[in-house]
Amino acid sequence: MSLLLGTRDGVFRSGESLDDAERVVDAGNTLRVRTFEASAYAATTSGLYRSTDGGAEWERLDVPREEVYSAVTSPDGERLYAGTHPAHLYVSMDSGETWNEYEGFQELPSRDEWHTPRHRNEAHVRSLGTHPDAPERVIAGVEVGGVHVSDDRGETWTERREGVHDDVHHVLVLGDEEYVASTGGGLYRTRDTGRSWTRIDEAVDHSYFREAFAFEGTLYVAAARDPPPTWGGESGADAALFESRDGGDTLDSVSYPGDPEEFVLAWTAWDGRVVAGTTEGRVLAREPDGWTTVGHVPSGVRSLAVV
């Protein structure tokens, strides 16, 4: 299996080692790389790309808006969803040949509040998720705009933003009703499809989260004390790594192998172990005795996937 690395400078694919990784998509800032069945997708600021041959060759899909921040397929593979900047949601039912917008997503009561100066006074659909036990359901995380859920494949939407910070970077779908939301103001868990949220990072002094990952019963997250605009100077991101083996009720700090300027943005499982990618282009692996560096790419890692 190869490792796909979404970076600030396109998508790289590993060779015999990570240091032999080659760029396979020259698409600029790549927010998400994901694999579903036999296809891999790269959501980038220059479009949505797909590979059906293990990441060697890629084609650009003609999503109506250029900046694609997230993508997911329905559990049956019949629908491909794409979330964009500005925050719009599209669906294709013919493998990306044609696209339709979900107008109901624009009719959510809080829609006019989805904006922030950092993102051109707009917002984007930063995270999309589905689960096979709820095949009609789509979960969307908006930066900045909260979490929203559809139970009819995207036609109509319900806000699930009360009790969770609205600067949503990622929603990890653990089950049909259980999610973990990584936000700019804490890490939150729901076990009732977002009807209520519990903050699970209150015992730690880091509150900026970008993505959570679960593997073999353990939850993995990285956090900084403050958001990226404060990461200059000697302290950098002042990052920390946490693991939780009790379903996210508590976070245990683990030794962080990076320097103060690095922050883990991406996770996946590769060759039986958890790997993580950092803002400095370093790839880490979780070994039995802790984290170790296993390779580098020329640009900061934003997302990871196995193909």
Side-chain angles (χ1 to χ4, degrees):
M1 294 187 295
S2 295
L3 186 66
L4 295 178
L5 305 99
T7 77
R8 292 187 178 275
D9 194 23
V11 180
F12 288 76
R13 186 179 68 158
S14 66
E16 293 184 2
S17 74
L18 279 172
D19 290 331
D20 295 329
E22 63 173 342
R23 187 166 61 181
V24 290
V25 182
D26 185 5
N29 197 9
T30 302
L31 288 307
R32 293 269 183 248
V33 286
R34 303 190 69 177
T35 54
F36 307 104
E37 298 297 333
S39 297
Y41 294 88
T44 84
T45 54
S46 63
L48 179 64
Y49 295 79
R50 178 178 60 201
S51 172
T52 58
D53 64 356
E57 301 291 334
W58 295 75
E59 62 176 330
R60 186 179 184 275
L61 304 179
D62 193 19
V63 179
R65 293 181 186 271
E66 181 179 29
E67 296 183 54
V68 181
Y69 275 58
S70 55
V72 73
T73 62
S74 58
D76 60 12
E78 294 182 356
R79 297 186 176 216
L80 172 61
Y81 304 98
T84 69
H85 178 105
H88 292 259
L89 184 60
Y90 298 90
V91 63
S92 175
M93 291 178 281
D94 54 11
S95 299
E97 292 295 323
T98 61
W99 295 86
N100 293 307
E101 181 173 3
Y102 284 125
E103 299 292 346
F105 193 68
Q106 299 301 311
E107 297 169 359
L108 283 163
S110 65
R111 181 62 182 89
D112 290 342
E113 302 172 25
W114 301 358
H115 56 82
T116 176
R118 285 194 62 226
H119 301 300
R120 292 163 277 171
N121 288 314
E122 296 173 318
H124 35 248
V125 183
R126 190 64 179 265
S127 179
L128 288 171
T130 59
H131 194 275
D133 291 341
E136 305 292 314
R137 184 171 296 151
V138 186
I139 305 98
V142 177
E143 181 188 17
V144 171
V147 178
H148 310 278
V149 174
S150 170
D151 283 316
D152 55 10
R153 295 193 172 200
E155 297 296 335
T156 61
W157 290 83
T158 302
E159 297 190 342
R160 298 290 164 81
R161 63 199 300 261
E162 185 174 351
V164 63
H165 198 279
D166 62 359
D167 185 17
V168 179
H169 301 139
H170 182 254
V171 181
L172 172 65
V173 179
L174 293 172
D176 59 332
E177 296 187 343
E178 183 177 2
Y179 321 137
V180 173
S182 299
T183 81
L187 187 70
Y188 298 80
R189 184 193 61 229
T190 179
R191 292 194 171 110
D192 57 11
T193 323
R195 293 178 177 86
S196 63
W197 294 90
T198 300
R199 187 167 177 179
I200 58 179
D201 65 306
E202 291 182 331
V204 304
D205 55 2
H206 293 65
S207 62
Y208 181 88
F209 294 82
R210 286 288 288 268
E211 185 172 327
F213 181 70
F215 183 69
E216 295 184 345
T218 298
L219 183 72
Y220 298 85
V221 293
R225 293 185 189 274
D226 298 295
T230 69
W231 290 1
E234 295 182 359
S235 62
D238 195 14
L241 286 180
F242 300 95
E243 298 176 4
S244 175
R245 293 178 174 81
D246 57 10
D249 289 327
T250 59
L251 296 177
D252 299 318
S253 179
V254 298
S255 177
Y256 188 73
D259 62 50
E261 296 183 357
E262 282 187 281
F263 184 60
V264 171
L265 297 180
W267 307 86
T268 195
W270 184 40
D271 196 25
R273 58 185 178 176
V274 176
V275 293
T278 79
T279 52
E280 300 301 306
R282 193 150 59 107
V283 180
L284 310 169
R286 182 65 164 93
E287 306 290 1
D289 58 349
W291 289 89
T292 184
T293 300
V294 293
H296 297 80
V297 289
S299 185
V301 179
R302 308 297 301 272
S303 186
L304 294 168
V306 174
V307 66

